Amino acid sequence: MNLFTPTQYVENYINAGKSKAEMPLLKMFLLAVLAGFLIAVGGAVVNTATHTITNVGLARMVSGLLFPFGLAMVVLTGAELFTGNTLMVMSLLERKISLRGLLRNWGVAYLGNVTGAVLTAALCAFGGQLKYSSGQLAVFAMKQAAGKCAMPIVNAVILGILCNLLVSTGVLLASSAKDVAGRILGAYVPVAVFVICGFEHCVANLFYVPVGLFAKTVPAYAALAAEAGVDLSALTWGNFLLRELLPVTAGNLLGGVGLGSLFWFCHREQNS
């Protein structure tokens, strides 16, 4: 069979989690920066492809078609993505790693993801990538970012949980395949579902919101937003960090840890 069983891929991930926990810090950080960049590029291509689509359903479908390639690239390059690494709880439950090793990986991975995604957002905002459609891409990015910053905190947590239930499923399904096509498809489908549904992913939002925040500081883009009547009052770093990023991260953590614990309990080798 060209496929691992759930018991086999859970066992494989448990062993991979041990390697992740023991990885040298610099290597871990650089691979996390790469993951932040790859997810941010997924966000950039979605914004570019959908910024002129007025039909919401069509825009979500196009987003779901394009964004998952970011996670596929993360899986195939061995990059360190915080949301996927929440599955390392399986290695902890199996006593293959310590709590210290788990938190070390999560902390470094998150910091690297922040670096890669925010740097990509800055390069897009200040490097001219947002000039599409005479600057309307920048207006779209700012409007989307403002909407995320105005989201109720409870909603952000719940949508974060739902998101990482699917992202973590994608990581596990990608590891169930033995060939490249199977790994891409395994990652693709669950992520497409979360994007189409509009669930919240903290690393993706480290692109989506900062790119709007950076665009807001460009006078030409800010003038276009004002001309279009876009309310940017909620688009602040404070709202982003406290009302959006923190609750979404908490939700992603809960979703990933919950799914990892479920798979460990149901599919670890001792229960096969």
Side-chain angles (χ1 to χ4, degrees):
M1 291 180 62
N2 196 32
L3 190 71
F4 292 110
T5 67
T7 296
Q8 290 172 327
Y9 65 69
V10 165
E11 185 66 22
N12 290 342
Y13 194 93
I14 287 171
N15 293 327
K18 185 174 186 295
S19 299
K20 287 175 177 290
E22 296 173 351
M23 189 181 300
L25 280 176
L26 180 59
K27 178 180 178 181
M28 189 187 302
F29 176 75
L30 292 175
L31 288 175
V33 173
L34 174 62
F37 164 73
L38 293 174
I39 295 298
V41 167
V45 75
V46 163
N47 279 0
T48 304
T50 63
H51 75 280
T52 60
I53 300 176
T54 56
N55 183 293
V56 175
L58 179 59
R60 298 316 307 168
M61 287 294 293
V62 173
S63 300
L65 174 68
L66 296 174
F67 184 85
F69 288 111
L71 182 63
M73 290 188 288
V74 167
V75 169
L76 294 178
T77 59
E80 292 290 308
L81 182 65
F82 167 76
T83 47
N85 285 6
T86 56
L87 289 171
M88 288 173 63
V89 69
M90 295 192 295
S91 305
L92 179 68
L93 291 170
E94 198 67 16
R95 299 183 180 180
K96 291 290 183 75
I97 64 174
S98 65
L99 179 60
R100 182 175 180 274
L102 177 70
L103 297 178
R104 171 181 178 267
N105 177 276
W106 284 355
V108 174
Y110 197 89
L111 181 60
N113 292 169
V114 170
T115 303
V118 174
L119 180 58
T120 305
L123 292 173
C124 288
F126 301 127
Q129 195 270 332
L130 299 182
K131 290 183 177 180
Y132 271 92
S133 305
S134 301
Q136 291 307 304
L137 175 55
V139 175
F140 176 86
M142 288 184 283
K143 182 178 180 180
Q144 178 178 240
K148 287 180 177 291
C149 287
M151 183 184 301
I153 291 175
V154 173
N155 290 21
V157 174
I158 293 172
L159 294 178
I161 292 171
L162 293 171
C163 169
N164 214 30
L165 287 172
L166 288 164
V167 171
S168 299
T169 298
V171 171
L172 288 173
L173 292 183
S175 66
S176 73
K178 297 181 180 180
D179 58 16
V180 172
R183 298 191 72 192
I184 291 174
L185 185 61
Y188 189 94
V189 175
V191 175
V193 172
F194 109 65
V195 173
I196 292 170
C197 290
F199 299 152
E200 294 291 319
H201 187 268
C202 63
V203 181
N205 287 348
L206 282 163
F207 171 80
Y208 284 129
V209 181
V211 76
L213 285 161
F214 292 138
K216 185 181 176 182
T217 67
V218 178
Y221 296 155
L224 286 172
E227 183 180 323
V230 178
D231 182 6
L232 299 181
S233 60
L235 185 55
T236 66
W237 284 102
N239 281 342
F240 170 50
L241 296 174
L242 299 178
R243 293 180 55 86
E244 211 280 338
L245 185 62
L246 183 60
V248 170
T249 300
N252 289 166
L253 188 60
L254 289 170
V257 168
L259 188 84
S261 300
L262 174 68
F263 269 74
W264 174 81
F265 181 78
C266 294
H267 292 305
R268 72 190 191 278
E269 191 171 10
Q270 291 93 322
N271 283 348
S272 60

